[in-house]
Amino acid sequence: MSNQKDKRWLDSFGLISKGNDDRLKEPKIQEIFYNRLKRHYAVLIDRVNNDTLEDSFLNLTLNDRILSLSEQQHCLYLFRQLREGIAASQRIDNFTCGLYETSVRVGIYMNHVESYFPALCYLLEVIYPKLSKPFVQNQMVTCYLLYLCTLRNFQGLYEMKKKWELDTHDISFEFSRILIQNNYISWWKLRQRVPWLYQRLIDLSREQIQERCASIIKASYYKITKKYMEKYIGLVLFSKTGWTIEDSWVKIREPGLPKKIT
């Protein structure tokens, strides 16, 4: 019953940007709103604030998600309302910082760029400088840089390196080198050893680098093992290649056909 009361209360608020409700400018209301939001979506909030998801959620596929599509949209909308209220009130403190970081995590978990990227920008451009937060070895900074990499905005990546005095040993710089080299094996190994938060962002480049991997394999091999194909190419991309499966092997092309990288 209390959960439904929370939902009704949360739903009574409008967006400040629409000009129909400015209650979330008040710091006390912001904190009550956030506490009720966390209570209503307690399982989700607890999960995204952990770096290690349980095995059943590791791949972050659609079936892994704990919320329906309408619930996801509702949760994202509540975070948007709260972010608008905080930005309008110009409140910057540890509460603001923690809320924005959780908002980023929720957005990344749901693969909703429109939520997490603006929140990341506000964190890095407004909140962190005001609170003198470190940029080195900071998960949110790495998330921002990984996203730049998926856009292949390598110039922006190195501009941020200079601006924030970052170490090139950060995962994002390793990721950028992998993308530049189109090295899918290194891409896969990197993905397997980083937290789910980074995996989700790295996955934005999956299709592009898998296609490159497939074109190189096509030019180099007549056949590969089925196990290798499933691990590095994936069934979705395999279905588009025209290759055929023969027992434990995948037939790529007939011997003597030209080797051409597309």
Side-chain angles (χ1 to χ4, degrees):
M1 180 65 73
S2 61
N3 211 22
Q4 288 303 312
K5 286 183 179 179
D6 283 342
K7 186 177 186 303
R8 285 195 295 270
W9 186 82
L10 291 166
D11 289 344
S12 71
F13 286 78
L15 286 169
I16 288 179
S17 60
K18 300 292 185 182
N20 56 13
D21 195 338
D22 62 359
R23 286 177 291 168
L24 282 172
K25 288 183 179 180
E26 295 295 326
K28 186 174 181 179
I29 299 297
Q30 292 167 0
E31 292 170 19
I32 295 172
F33 189 97
Y34 189 40
N35 286 334
R36 293 199 178 190
L37 188 164
K38 288 191 294 184
R39 186 165 63 191
H40 188 68
Y41 289 108
V43 175
L44 172 68
I45 302 300
D46 288 345
R47 179 164 291 136
V48 301
N49 279 324
N50 289 323
D51 284 339
T52 304
L53 296 178
E54 53 266 49
D55 290 342
S56 60
F57 290 88
L58 189 59
N59 292 324
L60 293 170
T61 61
L62 185 62
N63 292 332
D64 293 331
R65 294 176 180 166
I66 58 175
L67 302 177
S68 67
L69 181 58
S70 62
E71 288 173 324
Q72 291 175 43
Q73 292 172 339
H74 182 250
C75 182
L76 292 170
Y77 180 74
L78 294 179
F79 271 106
R80 177 187 170 186
Q81 287 177 298
L82 199 44
R83 291 197 309 269
E84 284 193 5
I86 287 173
S89 68
Q90 299 184 333
R91 176 180 182 177
I92 298 177
D93 54 17
N94 288 332
F95 169 81
T96 301
C97 186
L99 181 146
Y100 265 80
E101 288 176 344
T102 299
S103 179
V104 168
R105 285 174 167 269
V106 169
I108 291 175
Y109 182 86
M110 296 183 185
N111 199 23
H112 196 263
V113 177
E114 294 82 359
S115 291
Y116 67 74
F117 190 66
L120 272 173
C121 290
Y122 194 78
L123 261 176
L124 303 182
E125 295 170 6
V126 180
I127 297 175
Y128 281 178
K130 288 283 188 179
L131 297 180
S132 300
K133 294 286 185 179
F135 283 79
V136 177
Q137 295 184 338
N138 184 307
Q139 277 196 333
M140 296 293 107
V141 172
T142 299
C143 286
Y144 179 81
L145 298 178
L146 287 173
Y147 183 70
L148 289 185
C149 289
T150 64
L151 300 177
R152 291 191 170 261
N153 184 1
F154 302 124
Q155 179 179 343
L157 174 70
Y158 281 89
E159 286 175 354
M160 295 304 103
K161 172 188 175 296
K162 182 177 180 180
K163 179 179 179 180
W164 296 330
E165 299 180 349
L166 301 175
D167 188 340
T168 53
H169 289 97
D170 186 274
I171 287 171
S172 56
F173 294 97
E174 180 181 355
F175 183 49
S176 71
R177 291 189 290 271
I178 289 170
L179 291 181
I180 291 170
Q181 296 166 1
N182 286 305
N183 189 331
Y184 181 63
I185 304 301
S186 295
W187 181 97
W188 187 85
K189 289 180 178 179
L190 174 66
R191 185 194 182 280
Q192 296 306 105
R193 65 177 170 83
V194 298
W196 73 265
L197 194 65
Y198 300 161
Q199 288 183 351
R200 195 63 163 154
L201 293 163
I202 287 171
D203 278 347
L204 295 175
S205 63
R206 177 189 291 273
E207 183 176 353
Q208 183 182 59
I209 200 163
Q210 278 186 326
E211 287 177 352
R212 180 61 179 169
C213 178
S215 70
I216 292 173
I217 289 174
K218 180 180 179 181
S220 305
Y221 298 95
Y222 296 124
K223 62 180 181 179
I224 57 175
T225 65
K226 182 181 176 183
K227 184 178 180 181
Y228 183 95
M229 179 276 294
E230 291 173 344
K231 183 174 182 179
Y232 292 112
I233 302 298
L235 294 175
V236 174
L237 180 56
F238 168 75
S239 66
K240 303 175 183 178
T241 61
W243 302 347
T244 57
I245 296 177
E246 297 179 352
D247 297 324
S248 60
W249 291 89
V250 175
K251 183 178 179 181
I252 298 172
R253 58 189 171 89
E254 295 290 346
L257 289 181
K259 299 179 180 181
K260 181 180 179 182
I261 299 179
T262 57

